């Protein structure tokens, strides 16, 4: 399995500001994923991040709002830009594990936007 | 499109009670099915999985059987413990290069002593 560390674990931000969330993995992985879990809803995939290429965004998510970096095989960041209260969610990163079709998740970042 | 529907919570049980959390899916082709668990303050952990029809996934006393005829993957445990209190997510992946997971809304289980 993979051990994933996310920072920060939670934050309270003002409208119009940006927050960068970090995801560190204890092993080299090809694919990293970013999810959003809005209050009372299921996890929704934001984007897939491969090292050395631009992230691939799902429908409804754009790079200007959620820029992602993937500088190496153990690290990625997700930025939530120009935040509004609707961005209040839990953001989780995950990695594809050595087992087929298995993903391992970080503990998440709980974001509240005032 | 692909989707997962699971029973709404919260589910409140007494210790040693029998647990069932229903999960049904809609998918084209032959998805793999998963149950993930999220304990308070922690990330999602894979609980069990099944990759083809009639497969039974099991772990920590939990079981789920991949039923293609009813497109279901219900989670069961014969005797729950207080330590099983968590949020349980049913999910599927339709494979491909990125192994994207589609989740249900999650079911909160609260086990009382």
């Amino acid at each position: 399995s993979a051990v994933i560390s996310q920072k920060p674990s939670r934050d309270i931000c003002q409208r119009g500001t940006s927050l960068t969330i970090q995801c560190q993995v204890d092993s080299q992985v090809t694919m990293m994923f970013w999810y959003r879990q809005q209050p009372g809803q299921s996890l929704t995939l934001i984007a897939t991040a491969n090292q050395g290429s631009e992230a691939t965004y799902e429908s409804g998510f754009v790079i200007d709002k959620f820029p992602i970096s993937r500088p190496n095989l153990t690290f990625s960041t997700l930025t939530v830009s120009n935040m509004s209260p609707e961005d209040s969610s839990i953001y989780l990163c995950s990695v594809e594990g050595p087992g087929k079709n298995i993903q391992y998740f970080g503990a998440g970042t709980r974001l509240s936007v005032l | 499109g692909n989707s997962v529907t699971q029973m709404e919570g919260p589910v409140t049980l007494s210790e040693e009670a029998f647990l069932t959390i229903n999960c049904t899916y809609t998918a084209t082709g032959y998805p793999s099915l998963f149950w993930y668990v999220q304990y308070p303050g922690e990330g999602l952990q894979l609980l069990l999985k099944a990759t083809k029809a009639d497969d039974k996934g099991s772990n920590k006393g939990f079981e789920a059987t991949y039923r293609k005829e009813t497109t279901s993957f219900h989670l069961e445990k014969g005797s729950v413990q207080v330590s099983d209190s968590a949020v349980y997510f049913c999910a599927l992946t339709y494979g491909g290069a990125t192994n994207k997971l589609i989740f249900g809304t999650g079911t909160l289980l609260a086990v009382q002593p």
Side-chain angles (χ1 to χ4, degrees), chain B residues 69-87:
Chain B
E69 64 276 13
T70 55
T71 62
S72 64
F73 193 55
H74 304 322
L75 182 68
E76 296 182 336
K77 186 174 185 181
S79 176
V80 294
Q81 305 300 312
V82 172
S83 57
D84 294 326
S85 298
V87 180

Side-chain angles (χ1 to χ4, degrees), chain B residues 11-113:
Chain B
V11 174
T12 303
L13 296 174
S14 298
E15 209 164 20
E16 300 183 1
F18 184 85
L19 168 71
T20 299
I21 300 178
N22 290 337
C23 172
T24 58
Y25 68 90
T26 301
T28 55
Y30 301 95
S32 294
L33 302 174
F34 305 84
W35 277 100
Y36 278 82
V37 58
Q38 186 176 31
Y39 297 104
E42 300 183 15
L44 277 75
Q45 303 174 23
L46 178 64
L47 180 60
L48 53 84
K49 68 171 186 172
T51 58
K52 62 183 187 295
D54 299 326
D55 267 2
K56 176 184 284 188
S58 61
N59 185 25
K60 300 181 181 181
F62 291 89
E63 293 183 340
T65 302
Y66 189 144
R67 301 288 189 196
K68 188 168 177 61
E69 64 276 13
T70 55
T71 62
S72 64
F73 193 55
H74 304 322
L75 182 68
E76 296 182 336
K77 186 174 185 181
S79 176
V80 294
Q81 305 300 312
V82 172
S83 57
D84 294 326
S85 298
V87 180
Y88 292 82
F89 292 90
C90 186
L92 67 82
T93 181
Y94 48 98
T98 54
N99 293 326
K100 300 177 185 179
L101 276 171
I102 295 176
F103 287 89
T105 53
T107 301
L108 173 63
L109 170 65
V111 181
Q112 299 176 338

Side-chain angles (χ1 to χ4, degrees), chain A residues 27-46:
Chain A
S27 58
Q28 293 185 339
V29 294
T30 302
M31 292 183 185
M32 297 181 76
F33 305 88
W34 287 99
Y35 290 83
R36 180 176 72 181
Q37 185 179 15
Q38 293 179 299
Q41 299 188 26
S42 65
L43 285 76
T44 302
L45 181 65
I46 297 172

